[in-house]
Coordinates of all heavy atoms in Angstrom, one line a residue:
G1 N 1.7 20.6 16.7 CA 1.5 19.3 17.2 C 1.9 18.2 16.3 O 2.8 18.4 15.5
D2 N 1.1 17.2 16.3 CA 1.3 16.0 15.5 C 1.2 16.2 14.0 O 1.9 15.8 13.2 CB 0.5 14.8 15.9 CG 0.8 14.3 17.3 OD1 2.0 14.5 17.7 OD2 0.0 13.6 17.9
I3 N 0.2 17.1 13.7 CA -0.1 17.3 12.3 C 1.0 18.1 11.7 O 1.5 17.8 10.5 CB -1.4 18.1 12.1 CG1 -2.7 17.2 12.5 CG2 -1.6 18.6 10.7 CD1 -3.9 17.9 12.6
E4 N 1.5 19.1 12.4 CA 2.7 19.9 11.9 C 3.9 18.9 11.7 O 4.6 19.1 10.7 CB 3.0 21.1 12.8 CG 1.9 22.1 12.9 CD 2.0 23.0 14.1 OE1 2.8 22.7 15.0 OE2 1.2 24.0 14.2
F5 N 4.1 18.1 12.7 CA 5.3 17.2 12.6 C 5.1 16.3 11.4 O 6.1 16.0 10.7 CB 5.5 16.4 13.9 CG 6.6 15.3 13.7 CD1 7.9 15.7 13.9 CD2 6.3 14.1 13.5 CE1 8.9 14.8 13.8 CE2 7.3 13.1 13.3 CZ 8.6 13.5 13.5
T6 N 4.0 15.8 11.2 CA 3.7 14.9 10.1 C 4.0 15.6 8.7 O 4.6 15.0 7.8 CB 2.3 14.3 10.1 OG1 2.1 13.6 11.3 CG2 2.0 13.4 8.9
E7 N 3.5 16.8 8.6 CA 3.8 17.6 7.4 C 5.3 17.8 7.1 O 5.8 17.7 6.0 CB 3.0 18.9 7.4 CG 1.5 18.7 7.1 CD 1.3 18.0 5.8 OE1 1.8 18.3 4.7 OE2 0.4 17.1 5.8
M8 N 6.0 18.2 8.3 CA 7.4 18.4 8.1 C 8.1 17.1 7.7 O 9.0 17.2 6.9 CB 8.0 18.9 9.5 CG 7.5 20.3 9.8 SD 8.0 20.9 11.5 CE 9.5 20.1 11.8
E9 N 7.7 16.0 8.3 CA 8.4 14.7 8.0 C 8.1 14.3 6.5 O 8.9 13.9 5.8 CB 7.8 13.6 8.9 CG 8.4 12.3 8.7 CD 9.8 12.2 9.2 OE1 10.3 13.1 9.9 OE2 10.5 11.2 8.7
R10 N 6.8 14.6 6.0 CA 6.5 14.3 4.6 C 7.3 15.2 3.7 O 7.8 14.6 2.7 CB 5.0 14.6 4.4 CG 4.5 14.4 3.0 CD 3.0 14.6 2.9 NE 2.2 13.6 3.4 CZ 1.4 13.7 4.4 NH1 1.2 14.8 4.9 NH2 0.7 12.6 4.9
E11 N 7.5 16.4 4.0 CA 8.3 17.3 3.1 C 9.7 16.9 3.1 O 10.3 16.9 2.0 CB 8.0 18.8 3.5 CG 6.6 19.3 3.2 CD 6.2 19.0 1.7 OE1 6.9 19.3 0.8 OE2 5.1 18.5 1.5
Q12 N 10.2 16.6 4.2 CA 11.7 16.2 4.3 C 11.9 15.0 3.5 O 12.9 14.8 2.8 CB 12.1 16.0 5.8 CG 13.5 15.6 6.0 CD 14.4 16.6 5.6 OE1 14.2 17.9 5.7 NE2 15.6 16.3 5.0
R13 N 11.0 14.0 3.7 CA 11.2 12.7 2.9 C 11.1 12.9 1.4 O 11.7 12.3 0.6 CB 10.2 11.6 3.4 CG 10.5 11.1 4.8 CD 9.6 10.1 5.2 NE 9.9 9.7 6.6 CZ 9.6 8.5 7.0 NH1 8.9 7.6 6.3 NH2 9.9 8.2 8.3
K14 N 10.2 13.9 1.0 CA 10.0 14.2 -0.5 C 11.3 14.8 -1.0 O 11.8 14.4 -2.0 CB 8.9 15.2 -0.7 CG 7.5 14.5 -0.8 CD 6.5 15.6 -1.1 CE 5.1 15.0 -1.2 NZ 4.1 16.0 -1.6
K15 N 11.9 15.7 -0.2 CA 13.2 16.3 -0.6 C 14.3 15.3 -0.7 O 15.1 15.4 -1.6 CB 13.6 17.4 0.4 CG 12.8 18.6 0.4 CD 13.3 19.6 1.4 CE 12.3 20.8 1.5 NZ 12.6 21.7 2.6
E16 N 14.3 14.3 0.1 CA 15.3 13.2 0.0 C 15.0 12.2 -1.0 O 15.8 11.2 -1.2 CB 15.4 12.6 1.4 CG 15.9 13.5 2.5 CD 15.9 12.9 3.9 OE1 15.5 11.8 4.1 OE2 16.3 13.7 4.8
G17 N 13.8 12.3 -1.7 CA 13.5 11.3 -2.7 C 13.0 9.9 -2.2 O 13.0 8.9 -2.9
Q18 N 12.6 9.9 -0.9 CA 12.2 8.6 -0.3 C 10.8 8.3 -0.8 O 10.1 9.1 -1.3 CB 12.2 8.8 1.2 CG 13.5 8.9 1.8 CD 13.5 9.0 3.3 OE1 12.5 8.6 4.0 NE2 14.6 9.3 3.9
S19 N 10.4 7.0 -0.6 CA 9.1 6.5 -1.0 C 8.5 5.7 0.1 O 9.1 5.4 1.0 CB 9.3 5.6 -2.3 OG 10.1 4.5 -2.0
S20 N 7.2 5.5 -0.1 CA 6.4 4.7 0.8 C 6.2 3.4 0.1 O 5.7 3.4 -1.1 CB 5.1 5.3 1.2 OG 4.3 4.4 2.0
D21 N 6.6 2.2 0.6 CA 6.5 1.0 -0.1 C 5.6 0.0 0.6 O 5.6 0.0 1.9 CB 7.9 0.3 -0.2 CG 8.9 1.3 -0.9 OD1 8.4 2.1 -1.8 OD2 10.1 1.2 -0.6
L22 N 4.9 -0.8 -0.1 CA 4.0 -1.9 0.4 C 4.7 -3.2 0.0 O 4.8 -3.4 -1.2 CB 2.7 -1.8 -0.1 CG 1.7 -2.9 0.4 CD1 1.5 -2.9 1.9 CD2 0.3 -2.7 -0.4
H23 N 5.1 -4.0 1.0 CA 5.7 -5.3 0.7 C 4.9 -6.4 1.3 O 4.2 -6.1 2.4 CB 7.1 -5.3 1.4 CG 8.1 -4.5 0.8 ND1 9.1 -4.9 -0.1 CD2 8.3 -3.1 1.0 CE1 9.9 -3.9 -0.4 NE2 9.4 -2.8 0.2
I24 N 5.0 -7.6 0.8 CA 4.5 -8.8 1.6 C 5.7 -9.7 1.7 O 6.6 -9.7 0.8 CB 3.3 -9.5 0.9 CG1 3.6 -9.9 -0.6 CG2 2.1 -8.6 0.9 CD1 2.6 -10.7 -1.2
Y25 N 5.8 -10.4 2.7 CA 6.9 -11.3 3.0 C 6.4 -12.7 3.3 O 5.5 -12.9 4.1 CB 7.7 -10.8 4.2 CG 8.9 -11.5 4.5 CD1 10.1 -11.4 3.8 CD2 9.0 -12.5 5.6 CE1 11.2 -12.1 4.0 CE2 10.1 -13.2 5.9 CZ 11.2 -13.0 5.1 OH 12.3 -13.7 5.4
N26 N 6.9 -13.6 2.6 CA 6.5 -15.1 2.7 C 7.4 -15.7 3.7 O 8.7 -15.8 3.5 CB 6.6 -15.8 1.4 CG 6.2 -17.2 1.4 OD1 6.4 -17.9 2.4 ND2 5.4 -17.6 0.4
L27 N 6.9 -16.1 4.9 CA 7.7 -16.6 6.0 C 8.3 -18.0 5.6 O 9.4 -18.3 6.1 CB 6.9 -16.7 7.2 CG 6.3 -15.5 7.9 CD1 5.4 -15.7 9.0 CD2 7.5 -14.7 8.4
F28 N 7.7 -18.7 4.7 CA 8.2 -20.0 4.4 C 9.3 -20.0 3.3 O 10.3 -20.6 3.5 CB 7.0 -20.8 3.7 CG 5.9 -21.1 4.8 CD1 4.7 -20.4 4.6 CD2 6.1 -21.8 5.9 CE1 3.7 -20.6 5.5 CE2 5.0 -22.0 6.8 CZ 3.9 -21.4 6.6
T29 N 9.2 -19.1 2.3 CA 10.2 -19.1 1.2 C 11.2 -17.9 1.5 O 12.2 -17.8 0.8 CB 9.6 -18.8 -0.1 OG1 8.9 -17.6 -0.1 CG2 8.5 -19.9 -0.4
K30 N 10.9 -17.0 2.5 CA 11.7 -15.8 2.7 C 11.7 -14.8 1.6 O 12.6 -14.0 1.5 CB 13.2 -16.2 3.1 CG 13.3 -17.3 4.1 CD 13.2 -16.8 5.5 CE 13.6 -17.8 6.5 NZ 12.5 -18.4 7.2
E31 N 10.7 -15.0 0.7 CA 10.6 -13.9 -0.4 C 9.9 -12.7 0.1 O 8.9 -12.7 0.7 CB 9.7 -14.6 -1.5 CG 9.4 -13.6 -2.7 CD 8.4 -14.1 -3.6 OE1 7.6 -15.1 -3.3 OE2 8.3 -13.5 -4.7
D32 N 10.6 -11.6 -0.3 CA 10.1 -10.2 0.0 C 9.6 -9.7 -1.3 O 10.4 -9.5 -2.2 CB 11.2 -9.4 0.6 CG 10.7 -8.0 1.0 OD1 9.6 -7.6 0.7 OD2 11.5 -7.2 1.4
R33 N 8.3 -9.4 -1.4 CA 7.7 -8.9 -2.7 C 7.2 -7.5 -2.5 O 6.4 -7.2 -1.8 CB 6.6 -9.9 -3.1 CG 6.1 -9.7 -4.5 CD 5.0 -10.7 -4.9 NE 5.3 -12.0 -4.6 CZ 4.5 -13.0 -5.0 NH1 3.3 -12.8 -5.5 NH2 4.8 -14.3 -4.8
L34 N 7.8 -6.7 -3.4 CA 7.3 -5.2 -3.5 C 6.0 -5.2 -4.2 O 5.9 -5.6 -5.4 CB 8.3 -4.3 -4.1 CG 7.9 -2.9 -4.3 CD1 7.7 -2.2 -2.9 CD2 8.9 -2.1 -5.2
I35 N 4.9 -4.7 -3.6 CA 3.6 -4.7 -4.2 C 3.3 -3.3 -4.8 O 2.8 -3.2 -5.9 CB 2.5 -5.0 -3.1 CG1 2.7 -6.4 -2.5 CG2 1.1 -5.0 -3.8 CD1 2.8 -7.5 -3.5
E36 N 3.6 -2.3 -4.1 CA 3.4 -0.9 -4.6 C 4.4 0.0 -4.0 O 4.9 -0.2 -2.9 CB 1.9 -0.5 -4.1 CG 1.4 0.7 -4.8 CD 0.9 0.5 -6.2 OE1 0.3 -0.6 -6.5 OE2 1.2 1.3 -7.1
S37 N 4.7 1.2 -4.6 CA 5.6 2.1 -4.2 C 5.1 3.5 -4.7 O 4.7 3.6 -5.9 CB 7.1 1.8 -4.7 OG 7.9 2.8 -4.2
T38 N 5.3 4.5 -3.9 CA 4.9 5.9 -4.3 C 5.9 6.9 -3.7 O 6.3 6.8 -2.5 CB 3.5 6.2 -3.9 OG1 3.2 7.5 -4.3 CG2 3.2 6.2 -2.4
K39 N 6.2 7.9 -4.5 CA 7.0 9.0 -4.0 C 6.1 10.3 -3.8 O 6.5 11.2 -3.2 CB 8.1 9.3 -4.9 CG 9.2 8.3 -4.9 CD 10.4 8.8 -5.6 CE 11.5 7.7 -5.4 NZ 12.8 8.1 -6.0
E40 N 4.8 10.1 -4.3 CA 3.8 11.1 -4.2 C 3.6 11.5 -2.7 O 3.5 12.7 -2.4 CB 2.5 10.6 -4.8 CG 1.4 11.6 -4.7 CD 0.1 11.1 -5.3 OE1 0.2 10.2 -6.2 OE2 -1.0 11.4 -4.9
D41 N 3.6 10.5 -1.8 CA 3.4 10.7 -0.4 C 4.3 9.7 0.4 O 3.8 8.6 0.6 CB 1.9 10.6 0.1 CG 1.7 10.9 1.5 OD1 2.7 11.1 2.2 OD2 0.5 11.0 1.9
P42 N 5.5 10.1 0.7 CA 6.5 9.2 1.2 C 6.2 8.6 2.6 O 6.9 7.8 3.1 CB 7.8 10.0 1.2 CG 7.4 11.4 1.1 CD 6.1 11.4 0.5
I43 N 5.1 9.1 3.3 CA 4.7 8.5 4.6 C 3.3 7.9 4.4 O 2.6 7.6 5.4 CB 4.7 9.5 5.7 CG1 3.8 10.7 5.5 CG2 6.2 10.0 5.9 CD1 3.7 11.6 6.7
W44 N 2.9 7.6 3.2 CA 1.5 7.0 3.0 C 1.3 5.6 3.6 O 2.3 4.8 3.6 CB 1.3 6.8 1.5 CG 0.0 6.3 1.2 CD1 -0.2 5.0 0.7 CD2 -1.3 6.9 1.3 NE1 -1.6 4.8 0.5 CE2 -2.2 6.0 0.9 CE3 -1.7 8.2 1.7 CZ2 -3.6 6.2 0.9 CZ3 -3.1 8.4 1.8 CH2 -4.0 7.5 1.4
Y45 N 0.2 5.4 4.2 CA -0.1 4.1 4.8 C -1.2 3.5 3.9 O -2.3 4.1 3.7 CB -0.6 4.2 6.2 CG -1.1 2.9 6.8 CD1 -0.2 1.9 7.0 CD2 -2.5 2.7 7.1 CE1 -0.6 0.6 7.5 CE2 -2.8 1.5 7.6 CZ -1.9 0.5 7.8 OH -2.3 -0.8 8.3
Y46 N -0.9 2.3 3.3 CA -1.8 1.7 2.3 C -3.1 1.1 2.7 O -3.9 0.7 2.0 CB -1.0 0.7 1.5 CG 0.1 1.3 0.6 CD1 1.4 1.4 1.1 CD2 -0.1 1.7 -0.7 CE1 2.4 2.0 0.3 CE2 0.8 2.3 -1.4 CZ 2.1 2.4 -1.0 OH 3.1 3.0 -1.8
K47 N -3.2 0.9 4.1 CA -4.4 0.3 4.6 C -4.6 -1.1 4.1 O -5.7 -1.4 3.6 CB -5.7 1.2 4.5 CG -5.6 2.5 5.1 CD -6.7 3.4 4.7 CE -6.5 4.8 5.1 NZ -7.4 5.8 4.5
P48 N -3.6 -1.9 4.1 CA -3.8 -3.3 3.5 C -4.7 -4.1 4.3 O -4.8 -4.1 5.5 CB -2.3 -3.8 3.5 CG -1.7 -3.1 4.7 CD -2.3 -1.8 4.7
E49 N -5.4 -5.0 3.5 CA -6.4 -5.9 4.1 C -6.5 -7.1 3.2 O -6.7 -7.0 2.0 CB -7.7 -5.2 4.2 CG -8.8 -6.0 4.8 CD -10.2 -5.3 4.8 OE1 -10.2 -4.1 4.8 OE2 -11.2 -6.1 4.9
W50 N -6.3 -8.3 3.8 CA -6.6 -9.6 3.1 C -8.0 -9.8 2.9 O -8.7 -9.8 3.9 CB -5.9 -10.7 3.8 CG -4.4 -10.7 3.7 CD1 -3.5 -10.2 4.7 CD2 -3.6 -11.0 2.6 NE1 -2.2 -10.3 4.3 CE2 -2.2 -10.7 3.0 CE3 -3.8 -11.5 1.4 CZ2 -1.2 -11.0 2.2 CZ3 -2.7 -11.7 0.4 CH2 -1.4 -11.4 1.0
I51 N -8.5 -9.8 1.7 CA -9.9 -10.0 1.4 C -10.2 -11.4 1.0 O -11.4 -11.9 0.9 CB -10.5 -9.0 0.4 CG1 -9.7 -9.1 -1.0 CG2 -10.4 -7.6 1.0 CD1 -10.3 -8.2 -2.0
S52 N -9.2 -12.2 0.8 CA -9.2 -13.7 0.6 C -7.9 -14.3 0.8 O -7.0 -13.6 1.2 CB -9.8 -14.0 -0.9 OG -8.7 -13.8 -1.8
E53 N -7.8 -15.6 0.7 CA -6.6 -16.2 1.0 C -5.4 -15.7 0.1 O -4.2 -15.8 0.5 CB -6.8 -17.8 0.8 CG -5.6 -18.6 1.2 CD -5.9 -20.1 1.1 OE1 -6.9 -20.5 1.8 OE2 -5.2 -20.7 0.4
N54 N -5.8 -15.3 -1.1 CA -4.8 -14.9 -2.1 C -4.9 -13.5 -2.6 O -4.1 -13.0 -3.4 CB -4.9 -15.8 -3.4 CG -4.6 -17.3 -3.0 OD1 -3.7 -17.6 -2.4 ND2 -5.5 -18.1 -3.5
E55 N -5.8 -12.7 -2.1 CA -6.0 -11.4 -2.5 C -5.9 -10.3 -1.5 O -6.5 -10.4 -0.4 CB -7.4 -11.3 -3.2 CG -7.4 -10.4 -4.4 CD -8.6 -10.5 -5.2 OE1 -9.7 -11.1 -4.7 OE2 -8.6 -10.0 -6.4
L56 N -5.0 -9.3 -1.7 CA -4.8 -8.2 -0.9 C -5.4 -7.0 -1.4 O -5.1 -6.7 -2.6 CB -3.2 -8.0 -0.7 CG -2.8 -6.9 0.2 CD1 -3.1 -7.2 1.7 CD2 -1.2 -6.7 0.0
K57 N -6.1 -6.3 -0.6 CA -6.7 -5.0 -1.0 C -5.9 -3.9 -0.3 O -5.6 -4.0 0.9 CB -8.2 -4.9 -0.6 CG -8.9 -3.6 -0.9 CD -10.3 -3.6 -0.4 CE -10.4 -3.3 1.1 NZ -11.7 -3.1 1.6
Y58 N -5.7 -2.8 -1.0 CA -5.0 -1.6 -0.4 C -5.4 -0.4 -1.1 O -5.9 -0.3 -2.2 CB -3.5 -1.8 -0.4 CG -2.9 -2.1 -1.8 CD1 -2.3 -1.0 -2.5 CD2 -2.8 -3.3 -2.3 CE1 -1.8 -1.2 -3.8 CE2 -2.3 -3.5 -3.6 CZ -1.8 -2.4 -4.3 OH -1.3 -2.6 -5.6
Q59 N -5.1 0.8 -0.5 CA -5.5 2.1 -1.0 C -4.3 2.9 -1.4 O -3.3 2.9 -0.8 CB -6.3 2.9 0.1 CG -6.9 4.2 -0.4 CD -7.7 4.9 0.6 OE1 -7.4 4.8 1.8 NE2 -8.7 5.6 0.2
L60 N -4.5 3.5 -2.6 CA -3.4 4.3 -3.1 C -3.6 5.8 -2.6 O -4.6 6.2 -2.1 CB -3.6 4.4 -4.7 CG -3.4 3.0 -5.4 CD1 -3.8 3.2 -6.9 CD2 -2.0 2.4 -5.2
P61 N -2.5 6.6 -2.7 CA -2.6 8.0 -2.2 C -3.7 8.8 -2.9 O -4.2 9.8 -2.4 CB -1.2 8.6 -2.6 CG -0.3 7.4 -2.6 CD -1.2 6.3 -3.1
S62 N -4.1 8.4 -4.2 CA -5.1 9.1 -4.9 C -6.5 8.8 -4.4 O -7.5 9.5 -4.8 CB -5.0 8.6 -6.4 OG -5.4 7.2 -6.5
G63 N -6.6 7.8 -3.5 CA -7.9 7.4 -2.9 C -8.4 6.2 -3.6 O -9.4 5.6 -3.1
E64 N -7.9 5.8 -4.7 CA -8.4 4.6 -5.4 C -7.9 3.4 -4.6 O -6.9 3.4 -3.9 CB -7.8 4.6 -6.8 CG -8.2 5.7 -7.7 CD -7.6 5.6 -9.0 OE1 -6.3 5.6 -9.1 OE2 -8.3 5.4 -10.0
W65 N -8.6 2.3 -4.8 CA -8.3 1.0 -4.2 C -7.8 0.0 -5.2 O -8.3 0.0 -6.4 CB -9.5 0.4 -3.4 CG -9.9 1.2 -2.2 CD1 -10.7 2.2 -2.2 CD2 -9.5 0.9 -0.9 NE1 -10.8 2.7 -0.9 CE2 -10.1 1.9 -0.1 CE3 -8.6 -0.1 -0.3 CZ2 -9.8 1.9 1.3 CZ3 -8.5 -0.1 1.0 CH2 -9.1 0.9 1.8
K66 N -6.9 -0.9 -4.9 CA -6.3 -1.8 -5.7 C -6.3 -3.2 -5.0 O -6.3 -3.2 -3.8 CB -4.9 -1.5 -6.1 CG -4.7 -1.1 -7.5 CD -3.1 -0.8 -7.7 CE -2.8 -0.8 -9.1 NZ -1.4 -0.5 -9.3
T67 N -6.4 -4.2 -5.9 CA -6.1 -5.6 -5.2 C -4.9 -6.1 -5.9 O -4.6 -5.8 -7.0 CB -7.4 -6.5 -5.5 OG1 -7.6 -6.7 -6.8 CG2 -8.6 -6.0 -4.7
Y68 N -4.3 -7.0 -5.2 CA -3.1 -7.8 -5.7 C -3.4 -9.2 -5.4 O -3.6 -9.6 -4.3 CB -1.8 -7.3 -5.1 CG -0.6 -8.1 -5.6 CD1 -0.1 -8.0 -6.9 CD2 0.0 -9.0 -4.7 CE1 1.0 -8.7 -7.2 CE2 1.0 -9.8 -5.1 CZ 1.5 -9.6 -6.4 OH 2.5 -10.4 -6.8
N69 N -3.3 -10.1 -6.4 CA -3.5 -11.5 -6.2 C -2.0 -12.2 -6.1 O -1.2 -12.0 -7.1 CB -4.2 -12.1 -7.5 CG -4.5 -13.6 -7.2 OD1 -3.6 -14.4 -7.0 ND2 -5.8 -13.9 -7.2
I70 N -1.7 -12.8 -5.0 CA -0.4 -13.3 -4.8 C -0.1 -14.5 -5.6 O 1.1 -14.9 -5.9 CB -0.1 -13.7 -3.3 CG1 -1.1 -14.7 -2.8 CG2 -0.2 -12.4 -2.5 CD1 -0.7 -15.2 -1.4
E71 N -1.1 -15.3 -6.1 CA -0.9 -16.4 -7.0 C -0.6 -16.0 -8.4 O 0.3 -16.6 -9.0 CB -2.1 -17.3 -6.9 CG -2.2 -18.2 -5.7 CD -3.2 -19.3 -5.8 OE1 -4.2 -19.1 -6.5 OE2 -3.0 -20.4 -5.1
T72 N -1.4 -15.1 -9.0 CA -1.3 -14.7 -10.4 C -0.4 -13.5 -10.6 O 0.1 -13.3 -11.7 CB -2.7 -14.4 -11.0 OG1 -3.2 -13.2 -10.3 CG2 -3.6 -15.6 -10.8
G73 N -0.2 -12.7 -9.5 CA 0.7 -11.5 -9.6 C -0.1 -10.4 -10.4 O 0.4 -9.4 -10.8
E74 N -1.5 -10.6 -10.5 CA -2.3 -9.5 -11.1 C -2.7 -8.5 -10.2 O -3.1 -8.7 -9.1 CB -3.6 -10.2 -11.7 CG -3.3 -11.1 -12.9 CD -4.5 -11.8 -13.5 OE1 -5.6 -11.8 -12.8 OE2 -4.4 -12.3 -14.6
Y75 N -2.8 -7.2 -10.7 CA -3.2 -6.0 -10.0 C -4.6 -5.6 -10.7 O -4.7 -5.8 -11.9 CB -2.2 -4.8 -10.2 CG -0.9 -5.1 -9.6 CD1 0.1 -5.7 -10.3 CD2 -0.7 -4.6 -8.3 CE1 1.4 -5.8 -9.7 CE2 0.5 -4.8 -7.7 CZ 1.6 -5.4 -8.4 OH 2.8 -5.6 -7.8
K76 N -5.4 -5.1 -9.9 CA -6.7 -4.7 -10.4 C -7.2 -3.5 -9.6 O -7.2 -3.5 -8.4 CB -7.7 -5.8 -10.2 CG -9.0 -5.7 -11.1 CD -9.9 -6.9 -11.0 CE -9.6 -8.0 -10.0 NZ -10.6 -9.0 -9.9
L77 N -7.6 -2.4 -10.3 CA -8.2 -1.3 -9.7 C -9.7 -1.6 -9.4 O -10.3 -2.3 -10.2 CB -8.3 0.0 -10.6 CG -7.0 0.8 -10.6 CD1 -7.1 2.0 -11.6 CD2 -6.7 1.5 -9.3
I78 N -10.1 -1.3 -8.2 CA -11.5 -1.6 -7.9 C -12.3 -0.3 -7.5 O -11.7 0.6 -7.1 CB -11.6 -2.6 -6.7 CG1 -10.9 -2.2 -5.4 CG2 -11.1 -4.0 -7.1 CD1 -11.0 -3.1 -4.3
S79 N -13.6 -0.4 -7.8 CA -14.4 0.8 -7.5 C -14.5 1.1 -6.0 O -14.3 0.2 -5.2 CB -15.8 0.6 -8.1 OG -16.5 -0.3 -7.4
E80 N -14.9 2.3 -5.7 CA -15.0 2.6 -4.3 C -16.1 1.8 -3.6 O -16.0 1.4 -2.5 CB -15.3 4.1 -4.2 CG -15.2 4.7 -2.8 CD -15.3 6.2 -2.8 OE1 -14.8 6.9 -3.6 OE2 -16.1 6.6 -1.8
E81 N -17.2 1.5 -4.3 CA -18.2 0.7 -3.7 C -17.7 -0.6 -3.3 O -18.0 -1.2 -2.3 CB -19.4 0.6 -4.7 CG -20.3 1.8 -4.8 CD -21.4 1.6 -5.8 OE1 -21.7 0.5 -6.1 OE2 -22.0 2.6 -6.1
N82 N -17.0 -1.3 -4.3 CA -16.5 -2.6 -4.0 C -15.4 -2.7 -2.9 O -15.3 -3.6 -2.2 CB -15.9 -3.2 -5.3 CG -17.0 -3.6 -6.3 OD1 -18.1 -3.8 -5.9 ND2 -16.6 -3.6 -7.5
A83 N -14.7 -1.5 -2.7 CA -13.7 -1.5 -1.7 C -14.2 -1.5 -0.4 O -13.5 -2.0 0.5 CB -12.9 -0.1 -1.9
K84 N -15.4 -1.1 -0.1 CA -16.0 -1.1 1.2 C -16.6 -2.4 1.6 O -16.9 -2.7 2.7 CB -17.1 0.0 1.2 CG -16.5 1.4 1.2 CD -17.5 2.4 1.2 CE -16.9 3.8 1.0 NZ -17.9 4.9 0.9
I85 N -16.8 -3.3 0.6 CA -17.4 -4.6 1.0 C -16.3 -5.5 1.6 O -15.2 -5.6 1.1 CB -17.9 -5.3 -0.4 CG1 -19.0 -4.5 -1.0 CG2 -18.3 -6.7 -0.1 CD1 -19.4 -5.0 -2.4
E86 N -16.6 -6.0 2.7 CA -15.7 -6.9 3.4 C -16.0 -8.3 3.4 O -17.1 -8.7 3.5 CB -15.5 -6.4 4.8 CG -15.0 -5.0 4.9 CD -14.6 -4.5 6.2 OE1 -14.6 -5.3 7.2 OE2 -14.5 -3.3 6.4

């Protein structure tokens, strides 16, 4: 079923060297900014969530959570406990 298809798709994309990319796009400036990229799991969904006006939280394939500040360009690993706070 779906699980088998997903695994086949993941393996095919790995063989092709594809990656899963997280971008943000500024509608006003037309800037496309790559935030994160992984070839570890080329169909990974980062579960992005804006936690403030300038801070984006997302999950890595390792299970760790990171934040990205769009004003400063800073990345920060956050603990699992803090990742659940909304």
Side-chain angles (χ1 to χ4, degrees):
D2 289 339
I3 293 172
E4 293 162 353
F5 176 78
T6 300
E7 284 305 315
M8 288 173 32
E9 183 71 16
R10 178 178 285 120
E11 291 308 312
Q12 181 63 34
R13 289 182 182 203
K14 277 185 179 181
K15 286 179 188 172
E16 294 172 1
Q18 293 184 14
S19 62
S20 176
D21 302 331
L22 176 62
H23 291 259
I24 56 173
Y25 184 76
N26 186 320
L27 295 172
F28 300 109
T29 66
K30 310 280 191 257
E31 177 191 10
D32 182 1
R33 194 180 302 184
L34 177 65
I35 305 301
E36 195 75 44
S37 181
T38 182
K39 288 189 177 190
E40 181 182 327
D41 185 349
I43 60 172
W44 180 253
Y45 177 63
Y46 291 93
K47 302 174 190 163
E49 179 183 339
W50 289 102
I51 57 175
S52 74
E53 188 174 301
N54 297 313
E55 216 166 17
L56 180 67
K57 176 182 82 171
Y58 58 95
Q59 189 176 29
L60 302 173
S62 65
E64 295 176 300
W65 289 86
K66 249 181 162 179
T67 59
Y68 176 74
N69 186 303
I70 62 171
E71 281 191 331
T72 65
E74 292 179 344
Y75 295 89
K76 197 174 11 172
L77 275 175
I78 55 177
S79 72
E80 193 171 314
E81 283 180 15
N82 290 338
K84 293 178 183 174
I85 297 172
E86 297 184 17

